[in-house]
Amino acid sequence: MRDAAPNTIHLKDYTPFGYLVDEVRLTFDLAPDATRVTSRIAFRPNPETTDRRFFLHGEELRLLRAAIDGAEIAPEITDEGLTCSVPDAPFVWEAEVEIAPAANTALEGLYLSNGMYCTQCEAEGFRKITYYPDRPDVMSTFTVRINGTHPVLLSNGNPVDSGEGFAEWHDPWPKPAYLFALVAGDLVAHSDTFTTVSGREVDLNLWVRPGDEGKCAFGMEALKKSMRWDEEVYGREYDLDVFNIVAVDDFNMGAMENKGLNIFNSAAVLASPETSTDDNFERIEAIIAHEYFHNWTGNRITCRDWFQLCLKEGLTVFRDAQFTSDLRSAPVKRIRDVIDLRARQFPEDQGPLSHPVRPESFQEINNFYTATVYEKGAEVIGMLKRLVGDAAYAEALDLYFARHDGQACTIEDWLKVFEDVTGRDLSQFKRWYSQAGTPRLTVEEAWQDGTFTLTLSQETPATPGQPDKLPQVIPVAVGLLNPNGDEVRATEVLELTQARQSFSFDGLAARPVASVLRDFSAPVVLDHDLSPEQRAFLLAHDTDPFNRWEAGRALAGQCLLDMITEDAAPDTAYLDGLTAVLRDDGLDPAYRALMLGLPSQSELAATLHQRGLIPDPQAIWEATETLRQTTAQHMQDLLPRLRAESQIEAPFRPDADQAGKRALGSAALALLSRLDSGTQAAADYACADNMTLQLSALSCLLKAGKGEVELAAFYDQWRGDRLVIDKWFGLQVALAAPEQAAETARRLSAHAEFNWRNPNRFRAVFGALAMHHAGFHHASGAAYQLLADWLIRLDPVNPQTTARMCSAYQTWRRYDDDRQLLIGAQLDRILAQPNLSRDTTEMLTRIRGS
Ligand code: BES
Ligand code: ZN
């Protein structure tokens, strides 16, 4: 067990380790209750420092033997590691430890999933495998021998030897221990090969449980596309003879980029048309790309310390987004990413968990794999690229790879390559990495004598530990439209560097309509006071697809807020504008499907809160329902035609084209079901031959208060498929009426198939509950309490997943006193549990605040 006393780590305290590691040799003798790990590590004094303290991390290890240069020693051991005296010269450390993978329910270190051994070492899990300087700036080559009876024995790098009961692997690329991986099990491979740009042949294997072979083809194609794309766009070639991917059922995250041996949550890699939705396919393609891209941005160039996490994650998210934009539709990807940013990162940045893209302190690093580090971290790179331009970005990346290959780097190193390539001073830009909070960008307009002036001002609210903010560099992409709808000024990037700054456009014949923050050029809250008529105009005419969508979104948002606060009727400017867009067959169906979306209920609550009002979740729910109903009536004639778009004659393909048609068809069916009480949905369910259509029809039925028979039939049909059964669990909670949500989750948590130790299953039920805004925040407080009960139960078993789910409570200060009292009581109840994990303690302490 680790120290219970919260121990805060600070970026400013970084010091290099006193020793370099030249080589690591590991031998695993696998056994569920007593796996023996033998290590042989070549250390030498680090010439970069005079600090000669020798400390090796180690947790939950039973040390059997330790020796230095062959002589046995007795190190001083604590809960966190060991120390001993060592020679002031190169030496060989040897140790034998025993660990118990079968007892490892936290899914960190070496553990068992359905009888298969696997590992998860990022961020600090390697210390649960053996004693080691478990920090990313210590890089070494690894040679691994696995002794075990399983047919498949895998580790990082290239295979060097194997035989009855053993396999040996060698990874020639120096790497930090967090990229170590081992897999042993009864697995089958879906195999292929890839020839790299320089003509090397790489063996590709996707390893799965017997029975899952039919769900591999899509992932394999995605891998090959990723490999080609990284060669073509970033000039990055793969660097080993094999690339293995393994699917595991018990996994805390989506996937992990271990060198040459990526490990995936089976939900993030296994797919077939019958069992996976279009959204599943798109996510799988993106996550395979993401983990593959880490080979260069993360593995070859890694992080000096965990404060630099965005160096690899922000950049790799940015790269995987570029990949998806290239393969699918760029506007659709951009809109989806912004929806996601607003749903996950904005609440984080605007609440008690707010932290900079590069945090300056933490207690538990696992709590900082956040939407801010990832998604805002990717936005920061997007801004940098927009500011320096595509050519300079490409040059800077080439320099980054050339200069830092094989190193453990910092954000300073990253920004320096851009400074060196462009000659720009990026010190103000760097505030994006150090200042937390979402800047608010206010736009004022003036028009005089043919000159149109935009005055932009920025303000970033105070966040925990950061009361005062300085102005940031905000790239604001702007275009101007003539009153007739033509674009008079193409997109231009204004660089806002001051708190308040004006930009003029002259020589205009008529007052234009400004399209501001095109393509969402910066992660800010935009305050641009446009009339509904101006927004409707942009919805009809904007040439920037993002802002065209945004205009509709803003109209819908304003309409909902008026309904909530003034009991207004749904705005016809919105309904007419939306209908016109939906009628336009020239527009991509996927784009039109996005147009039909509404701001989320949680987003509406945030907006009300920002305007000094107290959001009422039930009122928000009702307004949203009313607007959906009115929209359905308004588009009554159009809906059957739109629904027909999902009826595709061609064989199922999970590509953007077909997926877009199905998305529009599903969105239309959802509206139609409000008018025909589910008749069409029942017919569609009966003949659905892919999961996208099956699930969309079933959702419509449940939403209409029907579908009991279909729900039971769905369960019977898919009882053998754990990933589909996860959907069955989640769907029922997500579609429950607000007053039923907690009870539905409670009932499902008593189901025989509710294996709460499996993170996917736990999240299916309780993640869905937390995301059901009106259900989670129902005035009874039942959901607050139910979630707390389960977090208390899960914490001793799996602290990481528990801590992540605590964020459900992060917005609690937005709501009324009664709700705050109810939530506060649950936070206190969890915090009062004896032996609460460091992960959960840190999250709840920050959420609770002072
Ligand atoms: N390196 C992470 C996985 C990870 C996260 C390990 C947290 C340990 C702690 C991996 O590259 C990753 O970012 N995975 C994401 C998916 C990705 C597409 C953003 C995940 O697992 O959700
Ligand atoms: Zn990642």
Side-chain angles (χ1 to χ4, degrees):
M1 285 288 292
R2 288 179 82 151
D3 226 39
N7 211 341
T8 303
I9 324 278
H10 296 272
L11 167 59
K12 64 174 167 37
D13 294 340
Y14 172 82
T15 55
F17 187 51
Y19 301 85
L20 302 177
V21 175
D22 288 323
E23 201 196 348
V24 177
R25 286 175 174 274
L26 300 172
T27 302
F28 288 80
D29 293 290
L30 296 174
D33 302 310
T35 287
R36 174 120 1 148
V37 185
T38 309
S39 58
R40 189 180 185 284
I41 306 168
F43 285 104
R44 102 183 116 93
N46 181 354
E48 304 284 303
T49 172
T50 53
D51 183 351
R52 291 286 171 261
R53 282 173 299 177
F54 185 72
F55 175 78
L56 301 182
H57 297 102
E59 287 175 21
E60 295 162 44
L61 306 173
R62 196 159 84 85
L63 181 64
L64 303 174
R65 188 184 89 94
I68 288 179
D69 289 332
E72 281 208 27
I73 54 152
E76 208 178 296
I77 298 179
T78 69
D79 284 351
E80 302 199 347
L82 62 73
T83 55
C84 62
S85 56
V86 299
D88 193 18
F91 64 93
V92 173
W93 161 270
E94 287 169 287
E96 258 180 68
V97 304
E98 199 180 271
I99 53 179
N104 181 352
T105 57
L107 316 182
E108 188 188 45
L110 179 67
Y111 63 95
L112 280 166
S113 172
N114 297 317
M116 159 186 157
Y117 290 87
C118 62
T119 54
Q120 172 55 39
C121 292
E122 189 179 0
E124 299 181 332
F126 190 75
R127 62 191 64 183
K128 292 179 163 184
I129 292 176
T130 193
Y131 287 101
Y132 197 74
D134 188 8
R135 37 187 294 166
D137 57 345
V138 174
M139 300 172 80
S140 173
T141 60
F142 281 65
T143 304
V144 177
R145 183 184 167 97
I146 310 168
N147 297 320
T149 54
H150 298 79
V152 178
L153 303 169
L154 307 172
S155 191
N156 315 89
N158 298 318
V160 286
D161 194 9
S162 66
E164 189 61 33
F166 83 98
E168 202 171 301
W169 293 79
H170 175 70
D171 182 0
W173 300 102
K175 66 166 176 291
Y178 82 85
L179 292 171
F180 168 81
L182 176 152
V183 168
D186 182 7
L187 298 166
V188 289
H190 176 99
S191 302
D192 208 328
T193 60
F194 179 84
T195 307
T196 69
V197 63
S198 72
R200 283 189 311 100
E201 195 169 278
V202 182
D203 287 332
L204 310 177
N205 303 297
L206 176 43
W207 298 95
V208 298
R209 282 167 58 179
D212 286 338
E213 299 90 332
K215 292 185 172 185
C216 297
F218 181 80
M220 182 59 79
E221 288 311 307
L223 174 61
K224 290 189 287 178
K225 287 178 190 166
S226 306
M227 295 177 85
R228 193 61 75 207
W229 187 90
D230 214 16
E231 290 182 345
E232 288 172 353
V233 180
Y234 278 83
R236 299 296 111 201
E237 188 177 346
Y238 187 61
D239 54 6
L240 291 167
D241 303 336
V242 297
F243 189 81
N244 287 311
I245 293 180
V246 180
V248 303
D249 290 339
D250 300 280
F251 202 72
N252 282 329
M253 303 293 295
M256 176 65 209
E257 71 266 25
N258 317 299
K259 182 81 188 192
L261 178 51
N262 287 2
I263 298 184
F264 274 63
N265 185 323
S266 46
V269 57
L270 300 181
S272 74
E274 298 72 37
T275 61
S276 311
T277 63
D278 288 318
D279 287 347
N280 295 150
F281 280 106
E282 180 166 340
R283 169 157 185 263
I284 289 167
E285 186 177 85
I287 192 160
I288 288 193
H290 178 97
E291 305 311 339
Y292 175 74
F293 295 159
H294 267 315
N295 192 54
W296 275 95
T297 52
N299 301 3
R300 290 284 287 256
I301 303 179
T302 193
C303 301
R304 186 193 73 174
D305 54 73
W306 291 118
F307 296 102
Q308 319 296 330
L309 184 58
C310 65
L311 180 76
K312 75 176 177 83
E313 295 302 348
L315 177 55
T316 306
V317 170
F318 182 72
R319 275 153 49 71
D320 82 53
Q322 287 183 299
F323 170 79
T324 300
S325 302
D326 284 358
L327 260 66
R328 293 172 179 255
S329 148
V332 166
K333 172 64 175 164
R334 187 67 189 134
I335 292 166
R336 287 192 178 201
D337 280 351
V338 174
I339 291 173
D340 189 56
L341 188 80
R342 287 175 174 157
R344 301 192 310 112
Q345 199 275 328
F346 279 21
E348 188 168 272
D349 226 358
Q350 295 163 9
L353 296 178
S354 181
H355 56 275
V357 169
R358 181 169 70 176
E360 266 138 40
S361 68
F362 61 74
Q363 290 168 24
E364 171 51 63
I365 182 57
N366 281 319
N367 290 335
F368 285 86
Y369 286 74
T370 59
T372 297
V373 170
Y374 275 66
E375 273 73 37
K376 190 176 178 181
E379 290 298 320
V380 170
I381 291 172
M383 286 189 285
L384 191 54
K385 180 164 179 280
R386 210 178 284 268
L387 288 169
V388 303
D390 294 352
Y393 175 82
E395 234 185 288
L397 267 285
D398 286 345
L399 180 59
Y400 180 62
F401 293 121
R403 184 184 282 177
H404 294 296
D405 186 13
Q407 297 178 3
C409 293
T410 61
I411 289 305
E412 284 72 17
D413 296 325
W414 163 254
L415 290 176
K416 185 77 167 55
V417 297
F418 283 85
E419 290 190 326
D420 289 353
V421 160
T422 62
R424 274 177 86 116
D425 175 356
L426 291 174
S427 43
Q428 188 187 3
F429 184 81
K430 199 177 166 189
R431 288 179 192 154
W432 279 108
Y433 288 96
S434 58
Q435 287 194 159
T438 313
R440 174 172 284 272
L441 176 69
T442 305
V443 183
E444 293 158 79
E445 297 184 1
W447 167 250
Q448 203 179 15
D449 306 328
T451 299
F452 183 67
T453 303
L454 287 175
T455 300
L456 306 179
S457 42
Q458 58 168 305
E459 205 196 325
T460 304
T463 54
Q466 293 188 340
D468 303 306
K469 313 282 180 170
L470 296 167
Q472 296 179 181
V473 186
I474 305 184
V476 185
V478 171
L480 301 180
L481 300 174
N482 249 346
N484 71 0
D486 293 343
E487 189 169 75
V488 271
R489 287 295 169 87
T491 305
E492 168 177 345
V493 179
L494 311 178
E495 275 186 49
L496 175 63
T497 55
Q498 312 291 311
R500 187 181 166 86
Q501 222 171 321
S502 293
F503 301 86
S504 290
F505 304 83
D506 50 23
L508 297 166
R511 181 179 180 139
V513 177
S515 167
V516 180
L517 206 68
R518 285 184 153 185
D519 202 34
F520 202 68
S521 59
V524 300
V525 172
L526 180 65
D527 185 357
H528 188 189
D529 195 13
L530 294 175
S531 67
E533 292 70 31
Q534 284 171 312
R535 293 202 200 281
F537 174 85
L538 289 172
L539 172 61
H541 301 292
D542 204 326
T543 50
D544 179 70
F546 177 84
N547 260 8
R548 189 172 182 191
W549 169 83
E550 180 82 321
R553 190 78 160 187
L555 267 180
Q558 193 50 52
C559 168
L560 284 162
L561 293 175
D562 292 346
M563 292 169 73
I564 294 162
T565 58
E566 294 161 25
D567 218 10
D571 176 13
T572 48
Y574 167 65
L575 295 171
D576 291 340
L578 181 67
T579 308
V581 168
L582 267 293
R583 266 189 213 291
D584 184 350
D585 290 340
L587 290 171
D588 177 4
Y591 184 74
R592 283 185 281 155
L594 286 169
M595 283 281 189
L596 276 177
L598 291 179
S600 75
Q601 293 173 41
S602 163
E603 208 176 314
L604 293 166
T607 306
L608 288 165
H609 174 70
Q610 277 162 11
R611 299 189 183 172
L613 302 168
I614 296 175
D616 172 357
Q618 185 63 27
I620 295 174
W621 162 274
E622 283 163 14
T624 301
E625 286 295 306
T626 304
L627 185 55
R628 298 315 278 166
Q629 193 66 35
T630 313
T631 305
Q633 281 153 0
H634 202 86
M635 296 188 173
Q636 195 158 9
D637 302 336
L638 183 58
L639 294 175
R641 208 179 84 209
L642 295 178
R643 189 204 68 91
E645 299 219 27
S646 63
Q647 311 307 112
I648 299 164
E649 295 298 326
F652 182 96
R653 274 182 287 114
D655 60 13
D657 194 34
Q658 281 200 5
K661 289 178 177 163
R662 281 187 288 270
L664 182 57
S666 297
L669 182 66
L671 291 172
L672 198 57
S673 300
R674 290 174 178 269
L675 304 177
D676 75 355
S677 52
T679 310
Q680 182 67 58
D684 286 2
Y685 186 85
C687 58
D689 58 359
N690 62 71
M691 185 49 63
T692 308
L693 294 183
Q694 196 177 10
L695 217 53
S696 109
L698 182 58
S699 302
C700 292
L701 288 171
L702 294 175
K703 194 83 190 75
K706 308 233 162 106
E708 233 169 278
V709 176
E710 287 83 355
L711 188 67
F714 185 94
Y715 183 82
D716 289 338
Q717 182 183 356
W718 295 114
R719 61 189 329 157
D721 190 304
R722 58 216 180 277
L723 297 176
V724 181
I725 294 300
D726 285 338
K727 299 184 201 300
W728 180 85
F729 273 98
L731 190 70
Q732 297 177 67
V733 179
L735 295 175
E739 66 282 5
Q740 288 298 320
E743 173 52 22
T744 304
R746 194 209 54 73
R747 179 172 53 73
L748 289 170
S749 67
H751 192 281
E753 287 299 310
F754 184 70
N755 171 11
W756 56 277
R757 290 184 159 80
N758 175 266
N760 290 359
R761 192 63 45 98
F762 189 92
R763 279 189 291 253
V765 172
F766 292 108
L769 181 62
M771 278 172 22
H772 190 314
H773 184 256
F776 186 64
H777 293 287
H778 189 263
S780 67
Y784 303 150
Q785 180 170 352
L786 181 71
L787 180 64
D789 289 345
W790 279 97
L791 294 179
I792 289 170
R793 189 157 179 190
L794 187 64
D795 187 65
V797 168
N798 186 335
Q800 259 186 58
T801 291
T802 309
R804 294 197 138 254
M805 300 228 20
C806 289
S807 61
Y809 297 111
Q810 72 176 322
T811 56
W812 69 303
R813 291 293 191 194
R814 285 177 189 167
Y815 300 94
D816 55 82
D817 292 349
D818 289 346
R819 285 184 172 85
Q820 288 195 32
L821 219 57
L822 290 167
I823 298 179
Q826 298 306 328
L827 299 178
D828 289 342
R829 183 162 71 94
I830 307 173
L831 277 166
Q833 296 302 308
N835 303 319
L836 197 69
S837 68
R838 174 176 46 196
D839 310 54
T840 303
T841 305
E842 182 187 29
M843 288 296 282
L844 293 180
T845 312
R846 286 163 63 209
I847 291 172
R848 188 93 178 75
S850 39

